[in-house]
Amino acid sequence: MNLPNLEEARKRTLKKSLIVKNNYDFKKIVKDQKYFLKTYGCQMNEHDSEEIRKYLEILGYSKTTILEEADIVVLNTCAIRENAHDKVFGYLGRCKHLKKEKPDLIIALGGCMSQEESVTQEILNKHPYIDIVFGTHNINDLPKLIIDSKNKRQIEVLSIEGNVYEDILYSRDSNITAWVNIMYGCDKFCTYCIVPYTRGKQRSRNLSKIVEEVKDLKKEGYKEVTLLGQNVNAYGVDLNDGTNFKMLLENVAKTGIERIRFVTSHPWDFTSEVIDVIAKYDNIMPYIHLPLQSGSDRILRLMGRRYTKEEYLRLFKEIKEKIKGVSITTDIIVGFPNETIEDFNNTLDIVNTCKFDGAFTFIYSPREGTPASKIKDNISKVEKEKRLYELNDLVNKYSLENNKKLEQKQVKVLILGISEKDNNKMYGYTETMKLVNVKLNKELIGHIIDVKITCAKSFSLDGEII
Ligand code: 5AD
Ligand code: SF4
C-alpha cells in the first residue's frame, strides 16, 4: 500500500481564512451500500456529523446502526479528555477485526483526535487498516477522500484552520430541534484545553447567513434552534465590524422561531447587554450553561480563565436577577495540578452558593501540547476520584432540590419523541432545559404542551399532560 508521510498527511494552510460557499460537485458512487457513523464528544461534533452524514447520503450510502452491516465506518472523534481517546482506539479494534472479514470495508477517522499530530503519526505507523483520516477543518473533503481511497490511503488533515464555509447542507438528526453553528474555533486558550489546537482560532460566521439559516429552519417547521460555538459570547469579535453576540441573538429572536438556545458561554465575554436581550425576548430560553471550572482564584488563574470567584458570582447574580426563572448549569474540573484541599473546598463553597441546576463534572486529564500538561499532574487518581464523588453528591443534591420546586407546577414542554428507556412514555424539555417524561401520545411530538410536574428526580421530571 502507498503510504503518505506525516508532512504530506498534515497540510498547512497559511492563507487567511476566507468565507466561501461550500462545494457539492460530486455524485452518487455506490448502490445498496451502508454507512455506520459514530460520534464522540460535544454538540459541535454531533453537528459536524450531520454534515458528514449528508456527504455519505449524497454518495449513495444509507444508514445502518449495526457496525457489522457497514460498508463504510466513520468515527467522528473527540480529544477533550484522555478517556475519549481511549474509547476511540478501543472501538477501532472492533473495526479492524471486522475488516478482516470484510476487506472492502472503508474505515474513516475524523474529528478532533485527527487534528493531533501524535494521532496522525500513530495511525501512519501502527494502524494501516484505517483508510481515511480527515480533520475538523476539511470535513467537506470527505467525499473526495472516499472516492480516492479506492486506490490509495487518504490521510489529509489541515494543521492550520482552513476556510469558513457557508451554505453547508446537513442531514439533521431531528426535524424539531436544530443545531446552528455560529462560529468555529476558540481564542481563549484555557491552559488545560485542547480545543484551540484541534479547532483553530476563532472564526465567526456571517450574521445574516446565520439568520437566513434560522428563517429557513422555521419555514421547514423546526421549533427550536441551538446556536453553537466554543465561546458564543465572543461571537463577532474576529469580524472587526462591530458585530457581536447581542446583535446576533436579537436578530435570531426576531425571526420568531419558537425556542432559541445557545452553548457554550464563557463568563469573561458575557455582557450585561446579552443578559438584557435574553430577558427581553420570550423565545430566548431562560437557560444558561456557564462553565465555572473551579471555585479557587489560584486555580482559575492557573487555568487561564480570566475571572475570579467574585466576578463569576457577580455575573451569576445578575443573570438570576434579570432573567425570570432562569436555570443555570456548569462545568467543573477537579484535580487540576496542585489543586489543594483548600482549593477544592472553595469549589464546594461556590457550588453551595450557586446551587446549580446541574453540573458536568470532570477529572482533570493532561492533554498533550496544552500549557497545563507541562505542570506535573500531581494529584493521585484515587484523590481525584474522591473529590469527584464528593462534588457529584453536592451537585446532585442541588439538582434534586431545584427540580423538587417544580412539583405540582405547570411548565411548557417541547415534546421530542418516544423515550428510549420506556416505550410507553415520551420525552421533552422545559424552557429551562429540564428533561420531562409524559404518557405516550404520538400526536404531540413536535408540539409545545402544558405539563403538570408530578414527581421530580435529580436528572428528570415526570409529568401529566394538561
Ligand atoms: N481535563 C478535564 N476536563 C476538561 N475539560 C476541558 N479540557 C479538560 C481536560 N483537559 C472540560 C471543561 C470544559 C468541558 C467541555 O470539558 O470543563 O468546559
Ligand atoms: Fe476550551 Fe476555554 Fe475555549 Fe472552552 S473557552 S473551548 S475551555 S479554551
Side-chain angles (χ1 to χ4, degrees):
M1 185 170 301
N2 193 346
L3 294 182
N5 62 29
L6 187 65
E7 214 167 294
E8 250 180 71
R10 299 184 59 83
K11 292 191 180 159
R12 295 174 75 79
T13 49
L14 289 165
K15 64 177 188 260
K16 188 174 175 314
S17 297
L18 295 171
I19 298 187
V20 294
K21 199 170 163 52
N22 203 22
N23 174 16
Y24 288 92
D25 194 17
F26 53 92
K27 298 186 179 57
K28 199 165 164 163
I29 55 160
V30 294
K31 220 178 128 196
D32 303 326
Q33 291 207 7
K34 295 200 166 135
Y35 73 83
F36 177 89
L37 172 60
K38 192 167 169 66
T39 310
Y40 297 83
C42 64
Q43 293 101 331
M44 190 67 85
N45 261 21
E46 293 286 346
H47 189 39
D48 284 348
S49 282
E50 295 182 327
E51 181 182 354
I52 293 171
R53 189 178 309 138
K54 185 75 190 177
Y55 298 134
L56 294 168
E57 287 170 359
I58 295 177
L59 290 175
Y61 292 98
S62 59
K63 178 178 170 172
T64 177
T65 51
I66 301 164
L67 177 68
E68 288 68 24
E69 282 183 4
D71 299 287
I72 179 166
V73 175
V74 184
L75 303 186
N76 188 12
T77 64
C78 169
I80 198 118
R81 284 171 293 276
E82 202 169 345
N83 58 357
H85 240 245
D86 298 345
K87 276 191 211 157
V88 171
F89 276 109
Y91 206 80
L92 278 170
R94 268 183 78 182
C95 300
K96 180 182 176 186
H97 188 73
L98 185 62
K99 194 159 176 152
K100 282 193 188 132
E101 292 161 24
K102 282 176 101 170
D104 288 338
L105 176 71
I106 300 173
I107 300 175
L109 188 98
C112 287
M113 255 175 74
S114 321
Q115 289 297 145
E116 292 178 84
E117 196 164 326
S118 58
V119 171
T120 324
Q121 185 71 68
E122 191 173 344
I123 290 170
L124 284 170
N125 296 342
K126 294 196 202 147
H127 302 272
Y129 59 92
I130 300 176
D131 304 280
I132 299 170
V133 180
F134 62 105
T136 57
H137 306 306
N138 67 334
I139 298 174
N140 64 341
D141 280 336
L142 184 61
K144 176 180 155 290
L145 299 176
I146 293 174
I147 294 163
D148 295 348
S149 72
K150 306 277 179 203
N151 308 318
K152 182 178 178 251
R153 203 176 186 211
Q154 300 292 314
I155 300 188
E156 198 167 308
V157 178
L158 304 184
S159 53
I160 297 177
E161 53 279 317
N163 294 323
V164 173
Y165 290 97
E166 290 290 357
D167 306 298
I168 292 176
L169 300 177
Y170 296 97
S171 175
R172 295 184 190 269
D173 270 337
S174 159
N175 53 10
I176 306 166
T177 63
W179 308 113
V180 174
N181 196 5
I182 64 166
M183 64 209 289
Y184 300 88
C186 181
D187 283 345
K188 279 288 164 291
F189 287 92
C190 302
T191 58
Y192 51 82
C193 184
I194 200 163
V195 169
Y197 309 94
T198 61
R199 294 262 170 192
K201 67 175 179 348
Q202 175 176 320
R203 288 102 66 217
S204 298
R205 281 185 60 200
N206 176 282
L207 185 143
S208 48
K209 286 279 186 188
I210 298 168
V211 174
E212 242 174 66
E213 188 176 334
V214 175
K215 282 184 181 162
D216 287 345
L217 289 164
K218 182 172 179 259
K219 252 187 248 156
E220 287 170 41
Y222 281 86
K223 294 282 161 45
E224 179 176 300
V225 290
T226 301
L227 309 179
L228 273 187
Q230 307 296 346
N231 173 14
V232 289
N233 305 80
Y235 167 79
V237 171
D238 52 301
L239 297 174
N240 291 318
D241 62 359
T243 306
N244 62 33
F245 188 53
K246 177 219 162 224
M247 287 159 68
L248 177 69
L249 260 187
E250 190 144 37
N251 278 283
V252 172
K254 284 180 181 160
T255 64
I257 189 134
E258 284 186 73
R259 287 184 163 196
I260 300 156
R261 303 188 185 281
F262 52 87
V263 277
T264 288
S265 296
H266 188 299
W268 197 76
D269 293 296
F270 216 122
T271 60
S272 294
E273 288 75 33
V274 166
I275 303 174
D276 294 339
V277 167
I278 303 167
K280 180 172 165 194
Y281 288 92
D282 283 345
N283 58 346
I284 306 179
M285 294 296 99
Y287 164 67
I288 290 163
H289 183 62
L290 194 68
L292 164 69
Q293 311 301 3
S294 169
S296 149
D297 285 343
R298 199 177 68 84
I299 297 295
L300 284 170
R301 210 168 36 248
L302 288 174
M303 287 177 162
R305 288 294 286 180
R306 308 173 190 214
Y307 54 81
T308 61
K309 177 180 175 179
E310 281 316 308
E311 283 162 341
Y312 183 95
L313 285 172
R314 212 176 305 141
L315 174 66
F316 184 94
K317 196 159 160 256
E318 186 180 348
I319 294 172
K320 282 275 180 189
E321 278 170 5
K322 287 185 173 169
I323 307 172
K324 212 175 96 237
V326 71
S327 76
I328 302 180
T329 57
T330 198
D331 287 346
I332 297 170
I333 298 175
V334 298
F336 189 81
N338 298 318
E339 183 189 68
T340 61
I341 288 292
E342 198 190 337
D343 294 318
F344 175 64
N345 284 337
N346 282 327
T347 298
L348 297 179
D349 268 357
I350 193 166
V351 170
N352 278 317
T353 307
C354 294
K355 304 179 170 57
F356 295 105
D357 287 273
F360 299 94
T361 56
F362 308 102
I363 283 179
Y364 168 75
S365 72
R367 307 313 297 135
E368 201 185 308
T370 60
S373 69
K374 296 185 181 74
I375 320 174
K376 192 166 183 295
D377 183 19
N378 57 356
I379 317 276
S380 72
K381 189 165 173 271
V382 174
E383 181 59 26
K384 282 179 182 169
E385 281 170 356
K386 194 169 148 255
R387 292 182 195 179
L388 186 79
Y389 294 144
E390 192 175 344
L391 176 62
N392 282 347
D393 280 347
L394 196 63
V395 161
N396 294 345
K397 179 184 120 179
Y398 289 119
S399 297
L400 183 63
E401 237 177 72
N402 285 316
N403 286 351
K404 283 271 176 212
K405 288 184 197 147
L406 290 173
E407 277 183 350
Q408 303 311 317
K409 296 261 162 61
Q410 186 175 324
V411 290
K412 291 203 176 303
V413 178
L414 172 58
I415 301 292
L416 296 183
I418 297 170
S419 163
E420 272 182 28
K421 282 192 195 146
D422 180 351
N423 286 346
N424 292 314
K425 287 197 173 151
M426 300 187 301
Y427 74 98
Y429 287 90
T430 63
E431 296 193 327
T432 52
M433 199 62 186
K434 305 215 181 236
L435 176 62
V436 179
N437 289 110
V438 293
K439 215 173 90 195
L440 190 70
N441 177 353
K442 286 187 191 158
E443 279 168 25
L444 296 177
I445 294 176
H447 292 272
I448 295 171
I449 58 168
D450 289 318
V451 170
K452 189 171 103 180
I453 300 303
T454 50
C455 175
K457 294 170 262 182
S458 277
F459 304 109
S460 71
L461 307 163
D462 291 334
E464 269 169 16
I465 300 167
I466 294 174

